[in-house]
Amino acid sequence: MLSARAARLPGLAGAFKRPAFLFWLFVLNSLVGLCFWAGLSKGPLWPDLLVANCIGFSVYGLVVLLRRFTRIPNWLRVVVAGPLGVIIGFELAALLVGSPSPWLRDPSAWLHALPSFLIAGVTCAFLSVLLQSSQMKAALETERRQAAELRQSETAAKLAMLQAQIEPHFLFNTLANVQSLISREPEQASRMLDHLNRYLRASLGRTRKAQTLLQEELELVEALLQIAAIRLGERLAYRIDVPADLRALPLPPLLLQPLVENAVSHGIEPAIHGGEIVISARVQQGQLTLQVCDSGAGLGGSGRAGGGVGLSNVRSRLHTLYGERARLQVSANAGPGVTASLVLPLEGV
């Protein structure tokens, strides 16, 4: 439904004030006057042009005034503005040339003005319908804009909620690890807190943005891996293989981090001998592909086959941000481990 505010928009009335419209209205009036002069008049051309323009602009003015200040239906507006515009137009033309009113001087003028009444009625109906259609178009555009703004607000709220689900998950796990190390290995606990502090400084204010840079996300991921390396020791090795020219690409925050956390918790930790995590990026056919490949436990028995909370969260955010233009794929490697591939449209990142 159209809002009450949109329904009160003046529509084409604003356009009527533009010089271009007034010029074409003058041209149309002059063409009507030329037709009358060619078919009925034997005198000079200018009186017919003057009368036609006076009538045309009078009808136009009445249509705008009745449209803006009354609520009468279209048919009644035509009945009022058409004949009244003709009378006002003739009177105005007579006033401009200094001649007495044609209606009082010659009663037969009413009969001679009959074609003018008909043309004015048709013109009035046309202008009234044009005004109404323009008004409806403006109202629909307003409704579309309001609906788009509402969808944007809903999307932002949903993304903020999904991001809020990721941040505590990593923080709680890290603090639990620090607590377990305090009594056994205080130095390691201190190093982990240092890395956590660096991670929090790097992420402060970044995770609430709609877009960050791939380089910034890689800095967060590297801090995460350094924290995990303290806990897992030699069982975890990692490598970031991302070209320098791709690191400046914009990227929604917290899409890459859940994939790395998933590789650590479900890939490296369950594996007896641990493994390596490789983070890579490439651009191909207008798409940015980010891959997190681990050589850990694989899909079987790791809990990754059905997708955990982190992967479900990433898929939800991808659908909210890009619809069907982005996807997340998790597949088993030819050797040990799993590869998670994040494919994003390049124009949307």
Side-chain angles (χ1 to χ4, degrees), residues 36-56:
F36 270 91
W37 174 78
L40 302 175
S41 178
K42 298 180 180 180
L45 174 62
W46 71 266
D48 290 285
L49 294 180
L50 177 64
V51 172
N53 275 283
C54 288
I55 292 175

Side-chain angles (χ1 to χ4, degrees), residues 163 167 198-213 216-217 220 253-254:
Q163 289 178 200
E167 296 164 7
R198 187 164 64 87
Y199 172 88
L200 293 176
R201 287 181 181 275
S203 64
L204 185 61
R206 186 177 299 165
T207 56
R208 299 303 180 185
K209 296 179 182 178
Q211 293 280 353
T212 62
L213 299 179
E216 295 174 332
E217 293 301 299
L220 293 179
L254 296 176

Side-chain angles (χ1 to χ4, degrees), residues 57-178:
F57 281 102
S58 296
V59 171
Y60 144 75
L62 288 172
V63 169
V64 174
L65 290 175
L66 291 173
R67 184 74 183 180
R68 179 170 295 184
F69 298 109
T70 68
R71 296 179 178 273
I72 61 177
N74 282 339
W75 67 268
L76 185 57
R77 193 178 299 120
V78 172
V79 170
V80 173
L84 189 57
V86 172
I87 295 173
I88 294 176
F90 272 114
E91 291 291 335
L92 182 59
L95 181 64
L96 290 175
V97 299
S99 132
S101 172
W103 314 111
L104 300 178
R105 182 186 62 185
D106 183 10
S108 65
W110 292 91
L111 182 62
H112 293 304
L114 183 60
S116 299
F117 283 113
L118 294 176
I119 293 176
V122 172
T123 304
C124 181
F126 171 74
L127 290 176
S128 182
V129 171
L130 189 62
L131 273 169
Q132 187 176 24
S133 63
S134 177
Q135 183 184 51
M136 295 294 293
K137 182 179 179 180
L140 288 173
E141 288 296 328
T142 300
E143 291 294 317
R144 290 193 189 100
R145 185 171 60 253
Q146 292 174 346
E149 291 173 354
L150 179 60
R151 287 194 300 269
Q152 187 176 8
S153 299
E154 292 175 348
T155 299
K158 184 175 181 180
L159 289 174
M161 180 187 67
L162 292 172
Q163 289 178 200
Q165 295 174 1
I166 296 176
E167 296 164 7
H169 176 72
F170 168 69
L171 294 177
F172 292 157
N173 286 346
T174 303
L175 291 175
N177 290 327
V178 170

